[in-house]
Amino acid sequence: MRHPFPGPGITIRVLGEVTREQVAIARKADYIFVEEIKAVGLYDQISQAFAALLPVRAVGVMGDKRVDQQVIALRAVQTTDFMTANIFRFDWEFLERVSTRIVNEVDGVCRVEYDLTSKPPGTIEME
């Protein structure tokens, strides 16, 4: 069986300072993203997918108050050689479901982005 998500450990997906807390946030968001990919039967169609914790903060509203929390970037690509890659085109309902789960289930995150950059000019990993 092909393993479609090779790559470095979770710490490379924490852009900025790497702490136990930051790794826990990235790990939980990544778990949710991959779990949802598997749930809709897309796991074997994607070459690599992950959630990364960005070194920026965003203002959001959680409950009845404003918050200043972190941002998760989601990335999924299709490739045959990992020298070039195209984004995986999820439907909006899928991305909305993943975003809602991450914001509701991962403490400290109030915003989720989906990276639309192909390789090149971007790389597959964010760092």
Side-chain angles (χ1 to χ4, degrees), residues 31-107:
Y31 178 84
I32 291 167
F33 187 33
V34 174
E35 180 180 55
E36 289 291 338
I37 289 169
K38 289 177 179 178
V40 296
L42 296 174
Y43 188 82
D44 290 331
Q45 296 177 40
I46 299 170
S47 303
Q48 190 167 347
F50 59 88
L53 181 61
L54 300 180
V56 297
R57 299 185 72 80
V59 174
V61 177
M62 304 293 276
D64 292 333
K65 65 179 184 172
R66 287 174 70 88
V67 294
D68 175 32
Q69 295 185 336
Q70 299 190 84
V71 179
I72 290 288
L74 303 177
R75 182 120 168 96
V77 298
Q78 291 178 306
T79 181
T80 56
D81 60 8
F82 286 88
M83 297 303 291
T84 62
N86 293 312
I87 62 162
F88 189 84
R89 296 176 189 269
F90 292 106
D91 64 47
W92 288 114
E93 290 79 17
F94 174 85
L95 291 172
E96 183 177 23
R97 184 172 55 256
V98 171
S99 174
T100 299
R101 278 198 64 198
I102 290 171
V103 168
N104 288 332
E105 297 176 31
V106 182
D107 291 336

